Amino acid sequence: MALTGLQIYKMLPRTNCKECGQATCLAFAMQLAAGKASLDLCPHVSQEAREALSSASEPPIALVKIGAGEHAVELGNETVLFRHDKRFVHPTAIAVTVSDLLDKEQIARRVEEINGLFFERVGQVEGVNLVAVKQDGDRDRFAAAVRVAREKSALPLMLISEDAGALAGALEIAGDGRPLICGATRANREAVVELARKYDCPLVVRSDNLDDLAGLVDETVKAGHKQLILDTGARSVERVLADQTLVRRLAVNKRFRLFGYPTVAFACSGDAIQDMLDAAVYIGKYAAVVVVDSAERADILPLITWRLNIYTDPQKPIAVEAKVYEVGKPGPDSPVFLTTNFSLTYFCVAGDIEGTRTSAYILPVDTEGTSVLTAWAAGKLAPEKIAEFIEESGIAERVRHRKLIIPGGLAVMSGKLQEATGWEILVGPRESSSINAFLKEHWS
């Protein structure tokens, strides 16, 4: 049972030192009770109290790690039901399946396809996270498929089999890479949990109903293994959505520890379009791992984009560095565009300039990742700040002219901006899609 804020407060030093970032120890206790703060933030808590409060200070969803090295995946550590309450922490891992019924060459090609499922979005490289080797044949075929996948990909593996013997053979090949074992059921729990403990691998625990799943998790934890991912057994989108929501609510709101682990969902019906729609639902509603069959770039890119949108910190928008950027090969007579460092704004402007086949410079002012009108309304895009950025950027040394193209939404400040910078201000279009027409009319 989770401790209340008042119970936690009684075990804190009650000095109100504010070193934890809260105004009082009571406020800090409330944050701990809600799973929104770490006990490590309190420098004066006693060791006895630390031990007593350890469970209360843990996030409602445990942290689980898959793989090793630079491509290792971290899941869990979530503390809220809704992104706007705080933020979601670890993005959903996308796993793409590889069947062991394929021959060696086909498996190699399939894995290479999966390796290529990476995309650049708003300045970040995003892609799939796991190669899910699925047992559809005998143990030898499964082991052979795991061997090829291990050799051909640096991504962590997910081993999908309920045959303890097949998993034992696969782990002899790939166990040192800490693959995700999928998984343990009521029938094979003892043997599979022993394998997970032996190789220190995260483990999927599956049951066909939530009551039995809770019991199975309890037995697994008591057996000494806590790196768990939950599979409710549901496969229809309606049932998966209901189960995912219930598990998350019980873990976060009720601090029900047996459901305090990341979850996995499968979108593998064979209908690629339906599967991608289902996968999008699962990413939006709490699945820590989503398994799909399709390795088509056109199918995976929308999922990557959707995931990026959901797991962006709403309090910290994605931003690019405030500096001079070049589009094409600009020279001393190339146009200079001003915008903000909000990634979406910057990349829209850059893409539309590229579409004009005109080389140009772009100056994204640091507005803490906010858009043009938002930054202007908040006072983050004042003429004085822009003038200072222009001077520091060194753009004056790269061009002979002194003409600055600003977004149409900033027309109201054009006069003051011209006074502050000494540059001739050209009011550009309100939408970057009209840059081509603007350049044809105003720039030769």
Side-chain angles (χ1 to χ4, degrees), residues 66-67 89 134 273 282 287 289 291 327 349 376 383 386 396 405 419:
I66 304 172
V89 180
K134 182 172 58 171
I273 295 177
Y282 305 155
V289 180
V291 183
V327 177
V349 172
W376 174 75
I386 295 172
I405 303 170
E419 291 178 8

Side-chain angles (χ1 to χ4, degrees), residues 55-76:
S55 62
S57 63
E58 292 175 356
I61 309 294
L63 176 67
V64 174
K65 298 181 180 180
I66 304 172
E70 64 175 310
H71 293 288
V73 177
E74 292 191 347
L75 306 170

Side-chain angles (χ1 to χ4, degrees), residues 49-92:
R50 185 179 297 277
E51 292 175 1
L53 293 171
S54 60
S55 62
S57 63
E58 292 175 356
I61 309 294
L63 176 67
V64 174
K65 298 181 180 180
I66 304 172
E70 64 175 310
H71 293 288
V73 177
E74 292 191 347
L75 306 170
N77 255 15
E78 304 295 345
T79 60
V80 295
L81 281 177
F82 304 107
R83 171 177 173 264
H84 59 264
D85 286 341
K86 186 178 179 183
R87 67 186 177 97
F88 291 158
V89 180
H90 290 119
T92 303

Side-chain angles (χ1 to χ4, degrees), residues 281-361:
V281 172
Y282 305 155
I283 291 172
K285 279 297 181 182
Y286 311 137
V289 180
V290 170
V291 183
V292 298
D293 285 333
S294 177
E296 294 292 329
R297 293 178 66 83
D299 293 335
I300 300 298
L301 177 56
L303 292 184
I304 299 295
T305 304
W306 175 233
R307 181 181 67 180
L308 182 61
N309 289 338
I310 290 175
Y311 283 88
T312 297
D313 186 345
Q315 301 176 27
K316 187 179 179 182
I318 302 175
V320 299
E321 183 182 353
K323 64 177 185 179
V324 178
Y325 289 86
E326 298 182 354
V327 177
K329 296 181 179 179
D333 297 313
S334 297
V336 179
F337 289 86
L338 183 86
T339 188
T340 73
N341 73 330
F342 177 41
S343 285
L344 184 58
T345 297
Y346 168 78
F347 284 103
C348 284
V349 172
D352 287 326
I353 293 174
E354 287 178 0
T356 70
R357 301 183 182 276
T358 299
S359 295
Y361 296 101

Side-chain angles (χ1 to χ4, degrees), residues 361-425:
Y361 296 101
I362 303 178
L363 302 181
V365 182
D366 183 3
T367 59
E368 300 177 10
T370 52
S371 62
V372 172
L373 292 180
T374 302
W376 174 75
K380 298 177 181 179
L381 205 54
E384 296 75 18
K385 181 174 183 177
I386 295 172
E388 182 180 348
F389 175 57
I390 289 175
E391 183 176 351
E392 293 176 352
S393 71
I395 187 63
E397 300 171 6
R398 301 197 192 189
V399 294
R400 285 193 288 256
H401 63 82
R402 292 295 181 268
K403 296 181 180 181
L404 181 66
I405 303 170
I406 66 173
L410 299 181
V412 66
M413 70 159 60
S414 58
K416 291 184 178 180
L417 185 57
Q418 187 158 311
E419 291 178 8
T421 62
W423 285 52
E424 179 184 351
I425 303 301

